Amino acid sequence: MKKQTAWIEEELRELAAGVDAAEFPTEIPVLPIRDAVHFPDELSPLLVGRDRSLKALDFALNQDRLVLVVAQRDVTIDDPDAEDLHTMGVISEAVQVLPVPDGTVRVVLRGLARARMESVIQREPHIIARISVVSTEEPMSPRIEAMMRECVRMFERAAQMGKQIPAEAMTSVNYIDKPGRLADAIAHHLQIHISEKQKILSLTDPEERLESLRELLVNELEVLEIQSEIRSRVEREMGDTQREYYLREQLRVIQQELNERDDRLTEIDEYREKVALAVMPDEVAERAEHEVKRLERMPPAAPEGVVIRTYLDWLCSLPWSVETQDTVNIKAAQKILDKDHYGLQKVKERILEFLAVRQLTHAQKGPILCFVGPPGVGKTSIGRSIARSLGRKFVRVSLGGVRDEAEIRGHRRTYVGSMPGRIIHGIKQCGSRNPVFMLDEIDKLGIDFRGDPTAALLEALDPEQNERFSDHYLEVPFDLSDAMFIMTANILDTVPPALMDRMETLRFPGYIEDEKLAIAKGFLVPKNLRDHGLGASRLKFEDEGLRSIIRSYTREAGVRGLEREIAAVCRKVARKVAEGSKASVALTKRGVGSYLGNPRYHYGTAETKDLEATATGLVYTEAGGDIISVEVSLVPGTGKELLLTGQLGDVMKESALAAQTFIRSRAQALGVNPELLKTRDVHIHVPAGAVPKDGPSAGITIATALASAVTERLVRRDIVMTGEITLRGKVLPVGGIKEKMLAAHRAGILNVILPKLNEHDLDDIPDKVRREMTFHFVNHVDEALKLALVKKP
């Protein structure tokens, strides 16, 4: 290869002697290049592959083998036009052309002379430009000769400092006696930016060209000196590290020979080994090594040594690189969910959709699910099922009553007894960086002078931030992006909007009676018989006995109370067995009272007869849906007083005021003497002990009770209602329809008045409940009053 290159150079020198610049054509094909600048009197290999460039080269080979080589202004342009090229280029001759199998052409170009593009006479199929050859005189003077020597010296200095420059280039520059030619030769071989080379090419005055080249060489030497210093410092530091390693090894051998061992050095070595085995990220490993060195230099009895040891133990025990492999199988996941939970079909479908997306995309990031529903409906247990279906570990952290921000993000190490937050605790507990992480009861988080824990959760739950979750104790980022977070809450009223924005809400409805019966037979009874040491031959729960427990001893959306009652029966039977009884017990409807005492709830209608000034409404509470009675009493007064009792919240108070104003405005239409309202004060009471009641759903109930009081008409006992009203009497839609309908069905009230705009919400109600109940949809309070009020007999 070297012989071939030498032969070509010798031939080119011979040809160059006979080149006359005046003989160049005025119109010539243009060959754009993107990542180089060619110079006159230099050989430049080039790989040509673009279509227009190949056509321009083919045209030149069929003519006089001459092309104008011009550099692009923007190297990112794949098909440059004339406006995308510099105006100054080099007339070059194609002296060697070699086709390449991939369709490109390798060509060796010999620069002949500078030329400037004056105009473009053809653009397709390739560019042809009208050019003017730039010819310059190269006078000599002592100043120019001094500059030439200085440039050669700096060029050689750059080569000595490690700049990659061909040896033949170093030899040739010493024999060039023309300033312009010398500047071109050095710039050609110097590895500098394309724009700097183009600047050298564009300068026509040899002295200016040398001056510009000298400035470039000065900058290049400064950079090379800095690189040399950095390289020397790195080598020196590596040498110090190796020296320290050898000295430690020698110390270890000496101690072994003397049968002595420093326990402190043993501890330091153990920490270094733990750091290496933990496979930490580089940033964390550097911090751990820094702490180990501090401990090594510290006196043995220093109090801070305990703090450093505890910190290192935490860093080394966290699963920085330990994770479980997901095994997502939709059919297997569905079997697990059906086995662990009865009902909840829509919830299961959404979870399976969530898992299916993870299986297809293999993406770790995704929506954070928030399970919302009353207690005892299976929110926490379904999180365990998701972990089982994914093959991941499960971590549960309860946030109920947490008021300190440090509980989430940890305490700073400046405090005595500081420790990481609950999230890092949970990660350490499970031993995996990608568990299913359940944060229970986020609606029970509190805010006080110690900070806002909900704000601290934002960084942990945000998929865009949690890859560098910062715990105050660790002071190094921990990657939580692979963990799957699931929230649970009973209600969402207390959850801040910023936290809600990062979660996808999945509502868990309450169970109907048939579902509770199936759960008791399939899950609760076998579990409690096993836990209490009883077999099916000792105690058998009849269906009617279980129904009696559900109806008369529990009133809940979930099944926790039902499980407690079943456990109470099992305990009493277990005592009899322990006392020597061998009788087999079958719990029937009649026998429930002998084990659980008198019924605590009455199954059936809320009221036993039609009453005046009393209406039954539906509300949504933390325990699911429930029924309430609204009582109204008119007492002598000024007509301006409105007394509200029964632990009513602000929203229900506003509903009562709106209902009173509406009834006053409709007094004449209702057949009420307006003078009566001026002499009667109103007392509204919602009995239910000291249970707080709030929410926009009791307006229509209060209005019905008020209308009954002023018209002295009775309210039907077999009808229940929900909805909010305006001052004009328009009935507005409300939430929690499914839970409210289940409460009405549980109480045995099968006629329900609902807002017309809530009609589509009936799709969520179980078919059995929907078939047994009658729904009346209203747009105005007048329609509800026609349905609910009856005349006195």
Side-chain angles (χ1 to χ4, degrees):
M1 184 66 183
K2 290 184 177 180
K3 292 181 178 180
Q4 183 181 5
T5 305
W7 173 79
I8 293 175
E9 290 181 352
E10 182 179 356
E11 182 179 358
L12 291 179
R13 282 194 294 270
E14 294 176 357
L15 292 172
V19 173
D20 186 359
E23 297 179 357
F24 291 131
T26 58
E27 297 177 359
I28 189 171
V30 177
L31 184 63
I33 56 175
R34 77 167 83 205
D35 54 356
V37 175
H38 288 191
F39 287 90
D41 299 320
E42 296 291 344
L43 281 175
S44 302
L46 181 65
L47 195 64
V48 181
R50 293 185 286 196
D51 185 59
R52 296 176 74 181
S53 299
L54 288 171
K55 290 178 180 178
L57 181 62
D58 184 62
F59 179 83
L61 293 176
N62 292 327
Q63 299 296 323
D64 48 11
R65 305 177 70 89
L66 297 180
V67 292
L68 181 65
V69 180
V70 186
Q72 294 180 201
R73 298 179 185 274
D74 186 355
V75 297
T76 61
I77 299 177
D78 290 331
D79 188 14
D81 209 340
E83 290 74 13
D84 302 319
L85 305 177
H86 289 282
T87 56
M88 182 67 77
V90 176
I91 300 175
S92 302
E93 180 184 10
V95 297
Q96 187 181 53
V97 180
L98 297 174
V100 181
D102 62 358
T104 60
V105 173
R106 182 176 179 83
V107 58
V108 177
L109 298 172
R110 175 170 66 101
L112 300 178
R114 280 176 170 76
R116 182 180 288 106
M117 283 199 305
E118 301 295 344
S119 61
V120 178
I121 62 174
Q122 176 183 309
R123 296 180 184 270
E124 297 296 339
H126 55 82
I127 302 174
I128 296 180
R130 180 172 287 108
I131 65 171
S132 60
V133 179
V134 178
S135 58
T136 58
E137 296 182 0
E138 299 195 10
M140 290 295 294
S141 66
R143 172 180 170 77
I144 292 177
E145 186 173 354
M147 292 175 62
M148 291 174 63
R149 292 182 181 180
E150 181 66 12
C151 288
V152 171
R153 185 192 65 79
M154 288 190 289
F155 187 56
E156 292 175 346
R157 175 64 177 160
Q160 293 171 359
M161 295 183 67
K163 196 71 175 177
Q164 296 182 356
I165 299 173
E168 57 269 18
M170 295 300 305
T171 304
S172 61
V173 296
N174 288 293
Y175 297 98
I176 299 176
D177 55 358
K178 295 183 178 180
R181 172 73 184 93
L182 178 65
D184 290 345
I186 294 178
H188 174 74
H189 293 289
L190 199 61
Q191 295 179 3
I192 55 177
H193 196 269
I194 297 174
S195 60
E196 302 292 347
K197 286 193 175 185
Q198 182 65 37
K199 179 181 178 182
I200 298 294
L201 180 67
S202 301
L203 293 173
T204 58
D205 182 70
E207 186 174 352
E208 292 180 1
R209 208 181 307 165
L210 274 177
E211 180 63 28
S212 179
L213 177 65
R214 189 187 65 80
E215 294 175 0
L216 290 175
L217 287 170
V218 169
N219 293 334
E220 189 69 17
L221 287 175
E222 289 179 358
V223 173
L224 289 173
E225 287 177 358
I226 294 173
Q227 289 180 345
S228 178
E229 291 178 3
I230 295 174
R231 191 182 305 112
S232 300
R233 186 166 61 251
V234 170
E235 292 175 353
R236 185 169 56 255
E237 291 176 356
M238 290 181 62
D240 293 342
T241 303
Q242 292 176 352
R243 179 174 176 274
E244 181 181 354
Y245 172 76
Y246 290 137
L247 290 175
R248 290 187 182 279
E249 288 298 318
Q250 290 176 1
L251 178 61
R252 185 178 293 108
V253 172
I254 292 172
Q255 289 175 341
Q256 289 176 353
E257 291 295 330
L258 297 176
N259 198 21
E260 294 180 356
R261 187 64 175 168
D262 188 349
D263 293 337
R264 180 173 174 78
L265 291 178
T266 303
E267 181 187 36
I268 299 300
D269 292 341
E270 288 176 355
Y271 274 122
R272 284 198 168 94
E273 184 178 356
K274 288 180 181 179
V275 170
L277 293 176
V279 194
M280 304 173 180
D282 294 341
E283 180 180 356
V284 182
E286 290 177 4
R287 181 60 183 268
E289 182 61 30
H290 173 72
E291 295 296 328
V292 170
K293 290 181 179 179
R294 285 184 61 203
L295 183 62
E296 187 177 21
R297 294 191 298 266
M298 195 171 292
E304 193 178 353
V306 177
V307 178
I308 295 177
R309 290 182 181 91
T310 305
Y311 179 68
L312 287 172
D313 289 339
W314 269 103
L315 285 184
C316 297
S317 61
L318 287 175
W320 298 98
S321 58
V322 180
E323 61 182 22
T324 55
Q325 190 67 32
D326 285 356
T327 55
V328 182
N329 186 308
I330 301 303
K331 292 184 178 179
Q334 185 171 5
K335 290 181 180 178
I336 291 174
L337 292 175
D338 290 339
K339 179 182 178 182
D340 294 349
H341 303 274
Y342 183 86
L344 302 176
Q345 293 304 320
K346 290 198 173 184
V347 174
K348 292 178 183 178
E349 288 178 8
R350 178 63 187 90
I351 291 173
L352 292 174
E353 291 169 1
F354 177 79
L355 297 178
V357 172
R358 294 178 74 90
Q359 178 182 352
L360 295 179
T361 60
H362 303 288
Q364 299 297 329
K365 295 183 179 180
I368 295 171
L369 299 180
C370 180
F371 297 160
V372 182
V377 294
K379 300 187 296 296
T380 302
S381 58
I382 209 167
R384 297 182 186 274
S385 301
I386 293 175
R388 284 180 56 200
S389 62
L390 285 172
R392 293 191 179 194
K393 295 185 178 181
F394 180 78
V395 183
R396 175 185 172 272
V397 173
S398 179
L399 300 179
V402 172
R403 294 179 176 273
D404 191 351
E405 178 191 358
E407 291 285 333
I408 306 298
R409 303 190 66 171
H411 304 78
R412 299 193 183 277
R413 286 195 291 149
T414 54
Y415 301 108
V416 176
S418 58
M419 62 180 62
R422 297 197 180 194
I423 292 179
I424 296 298
H425 264 284
I427 293 293
K428 177 189 175 183
Q429 172 189 347
C430 72
S432 171
R433 61 186 291 268
N434 65 334
V436 173
F437 205 117
M438 175 162 281
L439 297 172
D440 249 341
E441 311 293 350
I442 62 167
D443 55 326
K444 307 299 190 302
L445 283 171
I447 302 174
D448 63 7
F449 65 93
R450 289 168 291 187
D452 183 0
T454 58
L457 280 175
L458 296 180
E459 182 183 1
L461 300 182
D462 194 336
E464 302 300 327
Q465 302 181 50
N466 60 9
E467 63 182 10
R468 291 184 63 83
F469 174 71
S470 177
D471 187 276
H472 290 159
Y473 181 82
L474 296 183
E475 296 180 344
V476 288
F478 190 92
D479 188 359
L480 294 176
S481 60
D482 291 338
M484 179 179 176
F485 286 96
I486 299 177
M487 314 288 111
T488 70
N490 297 136
I491 56 175
L492 296 177
D493 298 346
T494 59
V495 181
L499 190 57
M500 282 293 303
D501 184 58
R502 287 161 171 80
M503 302 184 298
E504 178 180 342
T505 302
L506 199 58
R507 293 194 174 273
F508 280 58
Y511 296 112
I512 63 175
E513 182 179 295
D514 289 346
E515 290 177 337
K516 289 183 179 181
L517 180 62
I519 292 171
K521 292 171 62 178
F523 297 90
L524 304 182
V525 169
K527 175 179 178 294
N528 280 275
L529 289 177
R530 184 172 58 253
D531 292 346
H532 292 84
L534 301 173
S537 60
R538 290 288 188 179
L539 175 60
K540 181 181 179 182
F541 286 83
E542 301 287 348
D543 288 359
E544 290 304 316
L546 289 172
R547 284 188 187 274
S548 178
I549 296 176
I550 294 170
R551 292 178 176 180
S552 302
Y553 295 89
T554 64
R555 180 165 290 180
E556 58 178 347
V559 291
R560 285 183 183 166
L562 176 59
E563 183 174 10
R564 283 192 291 268
E565 301 303 325
I566 293 173
V569 174
C570 291
R571 286 195 303 271
K572 295 182 183 301
V573 174
R575 177 183 175 182
K576 292 181 178 180
V577 173
E579 291 173 350
S581 174
K582 297 183 179 180
S584 179
V585 178
L587 188 70
T588 61
K589 180 178 180 180
R590 292 185 177 182
V592 172
S594 61
Y595 289 95
L596 300 179
N598 294 327
R600 289 188 286 275
Y601 304 100
H602 298 285
Y603 183 81
T605 57
E607 302 291 347
T608 58
K609 61 180 181 179
D610 298 344
L611 295 176
E612 180 182 328
T614 301
T616 305
L618 293 168
V619 293
Y620 180 74
T621 67
E622 293 185 13
D626 202 357
I627 62 172
I628 60 170
S629 292
V630 176
E631 299 176 353
V632 174
S633 179
L634 301 179
V635 296
T638 61
K640 299 179 181 180
E641 188 72 23
L642 175 63
L643 182 61
L644 302 171
T645 57
Q647 288 286 327
L648 303 185
D650 293 337
V651 178
M652 287 192 70
K653 290 179 181 178
E654 292 179 359
S655 299
L657 292 171
Q660 182 190 32
T661 302
F662 171 75
I663 295 301
R664 284 177 177 272
S665 67
R666 301 285 291 172
Q668 187 173 359
L670 293 173
V672 179
N673 185 1
E675 297 298 325
L676 175 68
L677 299 178
K678 295 180 180 179
T679 59
R680 294 291 186 271
D681 291 338
V682 179
H683 183 178
I684 299 177
H685 180 64
V686 183
V691 179
K693 294 166 280 294
D694 200 9
S697 61
I700 192 172
T701 311
I702 298 173
T704 302
L706 272 171
S708 172
V710 299
T711 60
E712 298 183 350
R713 296 173 65 182
L714 303 180
V715 181
R716 290 171 53 184
R717 68 181 183 279
D718 63 339
I719 199 165
V720 70
M721 60 198 73
T722 182
E724 193 53 80
I725 65 171
T726 67
L727 294 178
R728 296 172 297 152
K730 184 179 179 181
V731 180
L732 302 177
V734 293
I737 294 298
K738 180 177 182 179
E739 290 79 4
K740 293 176 181 177
M741 296 307 102
L742 294 180
H745 184 268
R746 186 166 58 243
I749 308 177
L750 304 182
N751 287 281
V752 185
I753 297 176
L754 290 169
K756 179 68 175 176
L757 294 177
N758 281 122
E759 187 172 1
H760 64 279
D761 292 323
L762 296 186
D763 295 340
D764 297 334
I765 301 175
D767 294 338
K768 181 179 183 299
V769 175
R770 195 163 57 241
R771 287 193 300 267
E772 294 179 1
M773 300 183 72
T774 303
F775 304 100
H776 308 278
F777 299 100
V778 298
N779 286 315
H780 198 272
V781 177
D782 290 343
E783 302 174 36
L785 297 180
K786 290 179 181 179
L787 293 168
L789 299 182
V790 295
K791 293 183 179 180
K792 286 185 178 180

